[in-house]
Amino acid sequence: MRRPLLRLAAISLVLVGSAMAQAQAQTRLLNVSYDPTRELYTEINKAFTDKWKKDTGEQLLIEQSHGGSGKQARSVIDGLEADVVTLALAYDIDAIAKVGFVKEDWAKRLPFNAAPYTSTIVFLVKKGNPKGIKDWGDLIKPGLEVITPNPKTSGGARWNYLAAWAWAKDSNGGDEAKARDFVGQLFKHVPVLDTGARGATVTFTERGVGDVLLAWENEAFLALKEFGADKFEIVVPSKSILAEPPVAIVDSVVDKKKTRKQAEAYLAFLYTAQGQEIAAKNFYRPRDAAVAEKYASTFPKIELVTVDGAFGGWAKAQAAHFADGGVFDQIYKPGSR
Amino acid sequence: MRAERPSLVDPWPLRIIAGLLIFAFVALFLALPLWTLFAQAFAKGTEAYLRAIDEPAAWSAIKLTLTVAAIAVPLNVVFGLAASWAIAKFQFRGKQLLTTLIDLPFSISPVISGLVFVLLFGLQGWLGPWLRAHDIQVIFALPGIVLATVLVTFPFVARELIPVMEAQGTQEEEAARLLGASGWQTFRRVTLPNVKWGLLYGVLLCNARAMGEFGAVSVVSGHVRGRTNTMPLHVEILYNEYNLTAAFAVASLLALLALATLAAKAALEWRGRTEIAS
């Protein structure tokens, strides 16, 4: 009876040992990102490690972790050792800065508010648009089901929410009460809140729940690419929001792991022509003028409001809408449809 | 007049209905999902199936899952033996409390089981800053995943052994002691052989759960692809990446591990029965 146990223990020791030996073989960077960027960063990582190898001779291994933006920030705060964070919105990096892992001035350390690419929020509907959804106002038609993730955990969901709010406010002559009323009604049409954008996309596309998905533009394009343009189509609303997903180095981690040089080069790579081209190919709107020109036909022109312009910045928007007891908590009552 | 003897056999319509119900239930809730799983996994052919599994991230998930089980199961065997021995063979203060505590992981949600470790070992938690200062990574790494798994699979061995040991009573142990055996000798030569089938059964159940655990592990894993993803987590990631074939392929591997566990269990039961009969 003792021998099998001993053997098990021996095997497990060997396994753990080999795992640790592998771990020290090369320089590793961990990119903790939000939900829809899996494909983007798989491609970026490959291009960057090739370039870094050519330039410096060092073999890098870049690891990825994906999930709802707020949840990912929470993991980094709890000790997930990310060298860089590439999240859905500035507030989530601010939250990491608040505990001191990222320097307060992170947004000024890289061009364009440290957001190397932008996106916006569009609608994904079934082919032929059977419910005739054209703009935000159509989403609260009786019987319609809207799919969006949970604004508490997902960055994309917060952009969805703010875009809806901005449209409702502007189409009611700036009336905040009417905007609140509209967003409240909108969430009465939401049957399920996933924790991240990709979960919501899967709910809509694969499980077939709901009539319309409020989605990142890049996520909607990717769904068209995956499932074919004969299954779904994108509806561009009259107005949406300029989403700026920011990136930052996690200072406490790179200083400890001595990976600052590699991490900085990695984020800078996102701004190069090559990085911008990869972003555009993955349906993120590039910042670089030349690349933007080249891909101009991909991205429809939409009137875009900004968080700074319409909501006075992320800190304010977060406190008013998504904090505990904020407007979202007041208007969203699960089950009360 | 002769009184009718009550029939010990159920009337045939009842038997047919019960049989049909069981058959429908098994088909609907066990056979159909399993069939779907394998059908989807092989939807694009054997080659695609093998390609989906022979991929670094999948291999690392398989390795991690086996490593976690190889650490968690022996730990729980040691604990389960000690606890069930103490509970079944001795009287002591707090015995009832210990029995209840062993059941705790069954009754709390796995998410909570994961979250307690984040609260304990997370950087904002009690021990986090100290661990960081000494460069020890617990959560979002192997130790955290093992801890969460140990907590979730904690009751399996002990729960399996307590009734077996209680049923056997303490007479044989008392005889051994009277004949001059030491405590350790008594345990090794008398108690352990008596419960070996129960123990193996508990180990198998514990192992099945350790490999399949999702909730608690998901909370402490950090989801780093190729490093802290166990097989169940990897299945979810692949599914979310629209990679259905690969997701079902890895899921089918997990199912195969479970089926192998069940087969081992059936074989053990059969051997155990023949041994008792002889």
Side-chain angles (χ1 to χ4, degrees):
Chain A
M1 200 53 242
R2 265 189 322 166
R3 267 200 226 119
L5 283 188
L6 277 180
R7 203 176 301 155
L8 259 186
I11 291 171
S12 54
L13 272 182
V14 170
L15 278 174
V16 174
S18 69
M20 282 174 173
Q22 274 178 355
Q24 277 152 7
Q26 54 194 159
T27 307
R28 291 188 305 179
L29 290 184
L30 173 58
N31 175 3
V32 170
S33 193
Y34 61 112
D35 225 5
T37 53
R38 302 150 194 264
E39 293 78 11
L40 168 68
Y41 279 110
T42 305
E43 209 173 328
I44 290 272
N45 293 350
K46 191 175 174 317
F48 177 70
T49 44
D50 287 352
K51 183 172 179 297
W52 188 256
K53 179 99 199 251
K54 219 170 70 200
D55 293 353
T56 69
E58 185 185 27
Q59 180 67 51
L60 280 180
L61 173 66
I62 303 176
E63 297 175 311
Q64 293 170 252
S65 168
H66 296 275
S69 185
K71 187 181 128 215
Q72 294 291 79
R74 184 70 239 175
S75 291
V76 173
I77 291 170
D78 281 330
L80 183 57
E81 291 204 318
D83 299 90
V84 300
V85 284
T86 53
L87 295 178
L89 46 90
Y91 181 81
D92 289 331
I93 299 187
D94 281 338
I96 303 173
K98 218 179 268 170
V99 295
F101 298 171
V102 174
K103 292 210 183 82
E104 293 283 349
D105 68 340
W106 64 268
K108 298 196 179 66
R109 290 197 283 187
L110 287 165
F112 302 109
N113 302 323
Y117 40 79
T118 68
S119 192
T120 185
I121 300 302
V122 297
F123 306 158
L124 191 69
V125 297
K126 287 176 187 122
K127 184 69 194 174
N129 196 357
K131 298 281 165 109
I133 296 159
K134 295 202 178 59
D135 207 353
W136 292 97
D138 299 325
L139 298 179
I140 57 170
K141 280 186 194 162
L144 205 78
E145 283 194 331
V146 181
I147 302 298
T148 170
N150 188 345
K152 291 277 187 176
T153 52
S154 156
R158 276 174 270 174
W159 291 114
N160 291 346
Y161 173 107
L162 292 181
W165 189 286
W167 173 85
K169 188 179 157 193
D170 290 351
S171 35
N172 285 296
D175 189 336
E176 292 273 357
K178 291 225 169 89
R180 181 193 166 111
D181 189 49
F182 172 77
V183 176
Q185 281 192 52
L186 177 62
F187 273 90
K188 285 202 177 67
H189 289 259
V190 179
V192 52
L193 291 174
D194 287 287
T195 56
R198 183 55 60 85
T201 311
V202 169
T203 296
F204 181 73
T205 53
E206 279 177 22
R207 294 173 47 209
V209 178
D211 302 301
V212 53
L213 171 74
L214 308 186
W216 291 100
E217 184 180 51
N218 50 278
E219 187 74 354
F221 273 120
L222 183 71
L224 285 193
K225 194 173 128 190
E226 286 290 333
F227 293 98
D230 56 333
K231 292 225 172 57
F232 299 102
E233 64 183 66
I234 291 173
V235 172
V236 178
S238 66
K239 177 176 281 186
S240 193
I241 197 158
L242 175 70
E244 297 184 295
V247 300
I249 283 172
V250 183
D251 295 282
S252 67
V253 174
V254 294
D255 288 345
K256 190 182 138 220
K257 286 174 62 186
K258 314 240 175 309
T259 47
R260 178 174 290 276
K261 191 179 59 172
Q262 293 88 337
E264 272 173 356
Y266 179 60
L267 292 189
F269 178 74
L270 296 171
Y271 288 90
T272 62
Q274 196 189 356
Q276 291 283 297
E277 180 108 26
I278 294 174
K281 263 196 291 179
N282 283 279
F283 313 113
Y284 294 81
R285 296 184 176 215
R287 294 285 200 179
D288 184 278
V291 180
E293 181 69 31
K294 189 172 157 194
Y295 286 86
S297 61
T298 308
F299 301 107
K301 290 217 164 26
I302 317 178
E303 187 193 340
L304 298 173
V305 299
T306 64
V307 175
D308 291 343
F311 297 93
W314 261 112
K316 263 190 167 165
Q318 179 78 22
H321 293 278
F322 308 117
D324 260 349
V327 177
F328 177 72
D329 278 344
Q330 293 162 34
I331 58 177
Y332 183 71
K333 305 269 187 302
S336 68
R337 296 213 282 136
Chain B
M1 221 163 70
R2 200 160 52 100
E4 189 123 351
R5 230 189 325 155
S7 166
L8 285 176
V9 181
D10 290 325
W12 63 266
L14 202 62
R15 276 197 274 172
I16 288 179
I17 290 171
L20 279 178
L21 266 178
I22 293 167
F23 178 76
F25 204 81
V26 168
L28 198 63
F29 290 102
L30 290 173
L32 193 64
L34 260 186
W35 181 79
T36 319
L37 179 62
F38 284 96
Q40 286 270 15
F42 285 99
K44 288 183 188 156
T46 320
E47 206 176 304
Y49 179 87
L50 291 176
R51 220 181 311 122
I53 290 171
D54 190 18
E55 186 248 343
W59 270 115
S60 116
I62 295 168
K63 243 201 302 195
L64 180 64
T65 296
L66 295 178
T67 310
V68 168
I71 301 172
V73 174
L75 281 178
N76 273 333
V77 166
V78 173
F79 165 78
L81 269 173
S84 56
W85 196 51
I87 287 172
K89 309 279 180 183
F90 299 95
Q91 291 301 326
F92 56 93
R93 202 186 282 258
K95 186 169 153 172
Q96 201 55 48
L97 183 70
L98 181 61
T99 319
T100 314
L101 279 180
I102 289 174
D103 277 342
L104 201 61
F106 273 153
S107 50
I108 53 174
S109 154
V111 177
I112 310 293
S113 310
L115 217 48
V116 289
F117 291 112
V118 176
L119 296 176
L120 261 180
F121 299 115
L123 266 189
Q124 314 304 317
W126 288 1
L127 299 170
W130 185 87
L131 289 170
R132 170 62 60 99
H134 292 77
D135 205 15
I136 304 169
Q137 185 83 10
V138 176
I139 52 166
F140 309 124
L142 181 68
I145 299 172
V146 170
L147 279 174
T149 308
V150 167
L151 177 60
V152 171
T153 57
F154 195 67
F156 285 91
V157 176
R159 265 287 140 217
E160 201 60 43
L161 287 184
I162 291 170
V164 181
M165 286 200 184
E166 272 176 344
Q168 270 157 0
T170 55
Q171 282 171 349
E172 290 185 32
E173 276 87 354
E174 279 163 12
R177 293 308 292 266
L178 282 174
L179 290 170
S182 71
W184 172 244
Q185 276 176 325
T186 313
F187 175 73
R188 211 166 64 85
R189 300 275 181 79
V190 180
T191 312
L192 206 51
N194 274 338
V195 298
K196 64 178 174 193
W197 298 120
L199 177 65
L200 280 172
Y201 189 55
V203 167
L204 287 177
L205 282 180
C206 182
N207 184 52
R209 181 67 192 269
M211 292 192 300
E213 176 57 26
F214 178 85
V217 169
S218 169
V219 176
V220 296
S221 131
H223 303 270
V224 182
R225 199 179 182 137
R227 188 145 56 99
T228 66
N229 265 326
T230 60
M231 283 170 79
L233 299 183
H234 193 59
V235 171
E236 193 206 21
I237 286 193
L238 290 171
Y239 181 73
N240 278 348
E241 284 170 5
Y242 308 118
N243 201 344
L244 279 188
T245 311
F248 280 101
V250 177
S252 73
L253 266 191
L254 255 184
L256 279 179
L257 285 174
L259 288 177
T261 307
L262 277 183
K265 185 194 131 215
L268 279 178
E269 276 176 343
W270 181 76
R271 267 191 65 185
R273 223 177 292 133
T274 47
E275 190 161 299
I276 289 164
S278 64

